[in-house]
Amino acid sequence: MANKWVYMFSEGDMTMRNLLGGKGANLAEMTNIGLPVPQGFTVTTEACTQYYEDGRQINDEIMAQIMDGVKKMEEINGKKFGDSENPLLVSVRSGARASMPGMMDTILNLGLNDDVVATMIKGNPDPTFERFVYDSYRRFIQMFSDVVMEVGKKYFEQLIDKMKEEKGVKYDVDLTAQDLKILAEQFKAEYKNQLGKDFPSDPVEQMKLAVEAVFRSWDNPRANVYRRDNDIPYSWGTAVNVMPMVFGNLNNESGTGVAFTRDPATGENKLMGEFLINAQGEDVVAGVRTPMPIAQMEQEFPEAYAEFVKVCDTLENHYHDMQDMEFTVENKKLYMLQCRNGKRTAPAALKIACDLVDEGHKTEEEAVAMIDPRNLDTLLHPQFDAAELKKATPIGKGLGASPGAACGKVVFTAEDAVEWAERGEKVVLVRLETSPEDITGMKSAQGILTVRGGMTSHAAVVARGMGTCCVSGCGDIVMDEENKKFELAGKTYTEGSEISIDGTTGNIYDGLIPTVDATIAGEFGRVMAWADKYRKLKVRTNADTPADAKKARELGAEGIGLCRTEHMFFEEDRIAAFREMICSDTVEEREEALAKILPYQQGDFEALYEALEGNPVTIRFLDPPLHEFVPTEEADIKKLAEAKGKSVEEIKAIIDSLHEFNPMMGHRGCRLAVTYPEIAKMQTSAVIRAAINVKKNHPDWTVEPEIMIPLVGDVKELKNVKDVVVATADAEIAAAGVEMKYEVGTMIEIPRAALTADQIATEAEFFCFGTNDLTQMTFGFSRDDAGKFLDAYYDAKIYESDPFAKLDQTGVGQLMEMAVEKGKKVRPSLHCGICGEHGGDPSSVEFCHKIGLDYVSCSPFRVPIARLAAAQAAIADKSK
Ligand code: PEP
Ligand code: MG
């Protein structure tokens, strides 16, 4: 049987999301439950994959099925595509498996041409209808040119602006039928001018080009960035939905809107949305006109509003989640154009999850599973200092479109935002409105402020998705984008001026208002408690200072998985002694310098044990190459020479001798301890003495040091260093006359260690995967320089994500899985964790759960993310 590439809405349902995309599956489901959906069809995601396999073209079989779908649509709707008597106009819209708001393309009013327009007008002499027809026609030419043929929007916008100026009107709706007719002609001329050919008048050709454009949009740069940020595989492809048009721009009895069943900013259980009379969908989203709140629709269209409220209830009860819906009213009758689980801010996600549990819609496990861990990040970011905020007076107010607080210097373009952020400036991106081209600039900014647009404008939706603070639709701003300045409350702001914005209240302030860290409380605390109940993985933190450790504990860390001891050497009071150690000629000299460092290290470790209050602490011994510590300034070199009683030249010669061609694969990690065992001795003494002291003060705490040897590739290396550690530790414990358990383990961060994990485990009491180095060594490229070529790899579809951020499960993951298995076979009590950056990345955490690690360790602010991701992994596992 031939492949089935096209499904009528009546043939699908919500379980077919992979094949029909989210929008297609939900249109089918809404059809099944009897909601008013204009009946059309979905071209499958498989057709998208086929389009790429066929060299980016739609093959005849797919096209024939599309036209068959059109035929069925004609029968259902009693109209004919391209007919000059009763024409059927359609929308063509993308719809991937996971929703990607604003990332791909939509074409409305397809099927129009000069003949169809003339027929439509002839059939209805009402002048408002004529206006509507030309409005639809000019919209179609504009969208088709922009989306399908990639002629920039701006050419058409300029023509509209010119027309409005000539006619002395402010809004598009004030343009007459005649104005719009002239505009449509001007648009076609512009199309020909730009592309050197006539605008396609054949509806079948329009359809083919439009479907191809949607498939092509799956691979556009902004979709690629969005997918990378949201873990959406390229291989999924997008579906295309073709639907008969219903016209919100038909007359003043018509309109269009976007709504959420609950507030996507706060989670409050009340209908939230926006509505525009006499408009088409893109007017609401584009923020061209500022829409009215949905509640006002009740006065304008009472019957349609009442029906819509009923639809909202039906959908929430059906999907058991907050819905985001697009709808249109044509001649007072309601049509549903889309529904999906709505994107929401992190606070809203938590509130909605808790409310859904309380309302009986979800179990705790389901509630935990529905929150995107990456979203929590925004909650952990700063808010305005309450006292400072009280003192500040707003200079303006827009809509609180995406919560959080931001302050910084004003920039006016996405490019400037990127450039300024790269040189370390905090910026607030101020724009008339944002568009998908601005996405990288929006990512670089602390906050986004727009003059136009509502809660569902591009700026608002995208900022919420990113967790970036955003205030939209501040109409009081008098903007001059071209000259990079704006006026607000009588003051002119230029590039670099300082402002603060509050994405919750929508307030805008002059100057910088200091921010403070957030805490876990309320619904956040409730969801995290559920997460803790269901997860199997422990979550530790990477922390080198008591302050970081304390923060991490507040955020739920259950221990330290990695303390990088070298960070302690950089501090002012100890770097001198450390440099003396490096520049020693003899063991005695080195020991003398190390003796100066020992009390500092011991003090640092004591503070860490105190901060951890009996939770485990893994201390990793000196790791980086020594040249990272040597002075570069002449004055510092001189100081060191004096301290060592050597000449400046002698010191310089030592520094030169530390030069390595490949320092990351050089004299570092356990190799330092093999060459200079006295360093390992000193570090062991510091760890054990600190533990003994803290245990003395807190006899009820479990203080059992975990000493971790880095960069081991051979069991003999580990044994060599371990022997030094054990001899020193045992001597310290004996000298103190106490009992103390301790463990010696290793990082697995060299492929050879993973390959020989059964041998390594004969010496190691625990493994901790250092996936930063393990990724570097497995791929064979530098963790510090990969950024230079990764973009090219993304463009060439070699990689879909940064392997240093998201674990490469196929390669690096295989090494890990094998190491755990081999290690545990030899030593069943072996405990295993991960402390590379991947320990805070949700998909990597899921993998760690799957391969049976005991814990993940990540930076303090990622601890809640890891807790939630670990719970989700356990819940998903259980449901299998
Ligand atoms: C690692 O390599 O993953 C690791 C945690 O150690 P570092 O980043 O200090 O090399
Ligand atoms: Mg490492």
PDB file of all heavy atoms in Angstrom, residues 620 623 668 711 747 749 773 783, ligand 2:
ATOM      1  N   ARG A 620      38.637  16.842  45.674  1.00  0.00           N
ATOM      2  CA  ARG A 620      39.455  16.417  44.540  1.00  0.00           C
ATOM      3  C   ARG A 620      40.847  17.050  44.664  1.00  0.00           C
ATOM      4  O   ARG A 620      40.964  18.252  44.889  1.00  0.00           O
ATOM      5  CB  ARG A 620      38.757  16.886  43.253  1.00  0.00           C
ATOM      6  CG  ARG A 620      39.173  16.190  41.977  1.00  0.00           C
ATOM      7  CD  ARG A 620      40.195  16.899  41.133  1.00  0.00           C
ATOM      8  NE  ARG A 620      39.978  18.270  40.804  1.00  0.00           N
ATOM      9  CZ  ARG A 620      39.355  18.706  39.700  1.00  0.00           C
ATOM     10  NH1 ARG A 620      38.834  17.874  38.848  1.00  0.00           N
ATOM     11  NH2 ARG A 620      39.276  19.989  39.468  1.00  0.00           N
ATOM     12  N   ASP A 623      44.639  19.495  40.370  1.00  0.00           N
ATOM     13  CA  ASP A 623      44.387  18.982  39.021  1.00  0.00           C
ATOM     14  C   ASP A 623      45.037  19.774  37.881  1.00  0.00           C
ATOM     15  O   ASP A 623      45.572  19.176  36.949  1.00  0.00           O
ATOM     16  CB  ASP A 623      42.865  18.900  38.819  1.00  0.00           C
ATOM     17  CG  ASP A 623      42.477  18.368  37.455  1.00  0.00           C
ATOM     18  OD1 ASP A 623      42.868  17.240  37.133  1.00  0.00           O
ATOM     19  OD2 ASP A 623      41.775  19.077  36.722  1.00  0.00           O
ATOM     20  N   ARG A 668      49.424  17.265  34.533  1.00  0.00           N
ATOM     21  CA  ARG A 668      48.315  17.698  35.387  1.00  0.00           C
ATOM     22  C   ARG A 668      47.670  16.465  36.013  1.00  0.00           C
ATOM     23  O   ARG A 668      48.089  15.336  35.775  1.00  0.00           O
ATOM     24  CB  ARG A 668      47.286  18.498  34.588  1.00  0.00           C
ATOM     25  CG  ARG A 668      46.666  17.742  33.433  1.00  0.00           C
ATOM     26  CD  ARG A 668      45.487  18.478  32.801  1.00  0.00           C
ATOM     27  NE  ARG A 668      44.300  18.439  33.624  1.00  0.00           N
ATOM     28  CZ  ARG A 668      43.044  18.252  33.144  1.00  0.00           C
ATOM     29  NH1 ARG A 668      42.853  18.105  31.846  1.00  0.00           N
ATOM     30  NH2 ARG A 668      42.026  18.229  33.962  1.00  0.00           N
ATOM     31  N   LEU A 711      42.116  12.493  36.896  1.00  0.00           N
ATOM     32  CA  LEU A 711      42.796  12.205  35.642  1.00  0.00           C
ATOM     33  C   LEU A 711      43.599  10.901  35.639  1.00  0.00           C
ATOM     34  O   LEU A 711      44.695  10.827  35.083  1.00  0.00           O
ATOM     35  CB  LEU A 711      43.720  13.383  35.291  1.00  0.00           C
ATOM     36  CG  LEU A 711      43.671  13.811  33.830  1.00  0.00           C
ATOM     37  CD1 LEU A 711      42.378  14.536  33.510  1.00  0.00           C
ATOM     38  CD2 LEU A 711      44.842  14.716  33.509  1.00  0.00           C
ATOM     39  N   MET A 747      38.393  10.051  39.715  1.00  0.00           N
ATOM     40  CA  MET A 747      37.566  10.557  38.637  1.00  0.00           C
ATOM     41  C   MET A 747      37.772   9.630  37.451  1.00  0.00           C
ATOM     42  O   MET A 747      38.882   9.158  37.215  1.00  0.00           O
ATOM     43  CB  MET A 747      37.973  11.978  38.271  1.00  0.00           C
ATOM     44  CG  MET A 747      37.727  12.929  39.405  1.00  0.00           C
ATOM     45  SD  MET A 747      37.865  14.644  38.917  1.00  0.00           S
ATOM     46  CE  MET A 747      36.370  14.849  37.978  1.00  0.00           C
ATOM     47  N   GLU A 749      37.785  10.212  33.841  1.00  0.00           N
ATOM     48  CA  GLU A 749      37.715  11.306  32.879  1.00  0.00           C
ATOM     49  C   GLU A 749      38.695  11.117  31.725  1.00  0.00           C
ATOM     50  O   GLU A 749      38.908  12.001  30.916  1.00  0.00           O
ATOM     51  CB  GLU A 749      37.916  12.662  33.578  1.00  0.00           C
ATOM     52  CG  GLU A 749      39.097  12.733  34.518  1.00  0.00           C
ATOM     53  CD  GLU A 749      39.162  14.052  35.293  1.00  0.00           C
ATOM     54  OE1 GLU A 749      38.427  14.994  34.968  1.00  0.00           O
ATOM     55  OE2 GLU A 749      39.986  14.137  36.215  1.00  0.00           O
ATOM     56  N   ASP A 773      36.266  16.553  31.032  1.00  0.00           N
ATOM     57  CA  ASP A 773      37.478  15.993  30.430  1.00  0.00           C
ATOM     58  C   ASP A 773      37.170  14.741  29.614  1.00  0.00           C
ATOM     59  O   ASP A 773      37.755  14.530  28.554  1.00  0.00           O
ATOM     60  CB  ASP A 773      38.516  15.660  31.514  1.00  0.00           C
ATOM     61  CG  ASP A 773      39.350  16.883  31.870  1.00  0.00           C
ATOM     62  OD1 ASP A 773      39.833  17.550  30.933  1.00  0.00           O
ATOM     63  OD2 ASP A 773      39.488  17.183  33.062  1.00  0.00           O
ATOM     64  N   ARG A 783      37.957  21.386  25.318  1.00  0.00           N
ATOM     65  CA  ARG A 783      36.763  21.923  25.953  1.00  0.00           C
ATOM     66  C   ARG A 783      36.772  23.442  25.966  1.00  0.00           C
ATOM     67  O   ARG A 783      35.726  24.071  26.117  1.00  0.00           O
ATOM     68  CB  ARG A 783      36.635  21.384  27.386  1.00  0.00           C
ATOM     69  CG  ARG A 783      37.856  21.643  28.213  1.00  0.00           C
ATOM     70  CD  ARG A 783      37.885  20.787  29.472  1.00  0.00           C
ATOM     71  NE  ARG A 783      37.268  21.420  30.614  1.00  0.00           N
ATOM     72  CZ  ARG A 783      37.368  20.966  31.862  1.00  0.00           C
ATOM     73  NH1 ARG A 783      38.060  19.856  32.107  1.00  0.00           N
ATOM     74  NH2 ARG A 783      36.790  21.584  32.845  1.00  0.00           N
TER      75      ARG A 783
HETATM   76 MG    MG B   2      38.507  17.126  34.834  1.00  0.00          MG
END
